[in-house]
Amino acid sequence: MSNKSIPAAPATVIEEPRNLQQATIYRILLAVSFVHLFNDSIQALIPAMFPVLKDNMLLSYAQIGWIAFALNLTSSVIQPIIGFAADRKPRPILLPLGMCCTFAGVFLLAFAGNYVLVILSVMLVGFGSAAFHPEGMRVAHMAAGQRKGLSQSIFQVGGNAGQSLGPLLMKWVFIPFGQMGALGFTVIAAAGIAIQAYVARWYREMLDAGYTFRKKSVSRSIDPARSKRILITTVILVFIVFVRSWYGASIGGYYAFYLMDKYGMTLDDAQIYIFMYLAAGAVGTFFGGPLADRFGRRNLILVSMIGTVPFALALPFVNQFWAAVLLIISGFVLLSSFSVTVIYAQMLYPGNIGTVSGLITGLAFGLGGIGSVVIGHLIDTTGIATVFVACGFLPLLGLLALLLPGDKKLEEWAAE
């Protein structure tokens, strides 16, 4: 077969243009993982700034919740739309453009002098994130070769590591420099733009060489019963991720206030506790894939939710030492299913990588922003201690994972 009609591509691209990429391209996986870290660390600076914004602008907990909602709405809820469009027509240019939007948002945030400007800047950061995730997920899938689970862990651990930096940003940046500290993150956004331009060029070369995410269509009848089962499974999976995100929002957005209220901690010390929770979650994300390969995806999702319950219920009643221990354990256990839920959804909808990314890491995660609004209002009306006792019961809803099909059935559907 002649190669003259095929545009130049990296040496790892195989000669048959419609075949799947066989080699794992680690330089690209690491590049998108680092950008995922940059993107999510910038997102993490929003909740990290909550105490500063609350004091500077005399905001209520409910108003703090609306800032979180604005971020989640723009960064997550619109992701399925972008992902759906990307699955039909890939747009590599969205990768650097998304980071440009993030750059603009974080720059405005540093100078935002009122609540409306804060909301606007947060929405710009959110739009940048929404543009990145579906195409970033597709790049990770493209560069994975046959190692899809590993690629997903590498990609997702970058994001969760970025999220874990939020509390440290509060400690090292916003406490000493205040709101103007956000200006320093324009450097991170600029680095993200440069890396994304490199990744987008590789992505375009692969597409020009004939890479496709979809198998050739085969004419066959679709079993209505199976289609209905897949739809029900999708709803259950999205709801589980929503509950996981809701509990995560309670810890990431409000637990520092709880620590200051109950233990009289300084804001500086309280941020270390949030970091421990999120950092443990990043480690759990990395190990979740191999654990799911050994014990089953459905089983891992179930255990990650139910296994968190005793620690979440005990958290409001322990001293400072045990609070740190419980946060580390619950963070690892709960977020061990982070990459697994994405892989599970990808097997439900083979070839629709962008749509699945938008649905699981976008819509379901973004709906957790609604939880932030609800939690903020409840804290204003009932008190922060009561709310955290109630939040401890949220992971119990993970029992719905019992209704998910097991791995054998999932693999049968993916192979058809």
Side-chain angles (χ1 to χ4, degrees), residues 61 261 374-390:
Y61 285 109
D261 180 73
V374 174
I375 291 170
H377 278 283
L378 288 175
I379 291 174
D380 283 336
T381 56
T382 65
I384 196 166
T386 302
V387 169
F388 269 97
V389 171

Side-chain angles (χ1 to χ4, degrees), residues 3-11 13 201-202 204-206 208-209:
N3 288 334
K4 293 180 180 179
S5 62
I6 302 175
V13 179
R201 184 167 59 250
W202 178 86
R204 173 51 62 190
E205 288 174 349
M206 290 290 291
D208 290 344

Side-chain angles (χ1 to χ4, degrees), residues 282-332:
V283 176
T285 296
F286 184 78
F287 285 102
L291 289 171
D293 290 340
R294 181 177 180 84
F295 299 107
R297 298 177 187 89
R298 193 270 304 273
N299 294 339
L300 194 282
I301 294 170
L302 176 63
V303 169
S304 75
M305 295 295 291
I306 302 306
T308 304
V309 172
F311 308 111
L313 290 175
L315 186 60
F317 304 102
V318 297
N319 61 30
Q320 297 178 49
F321 172 79
W322 285 109
V325 173
L326 294 181
L327 283 171
I328 291 171
I329 297 174
S330 61
F332 180 92

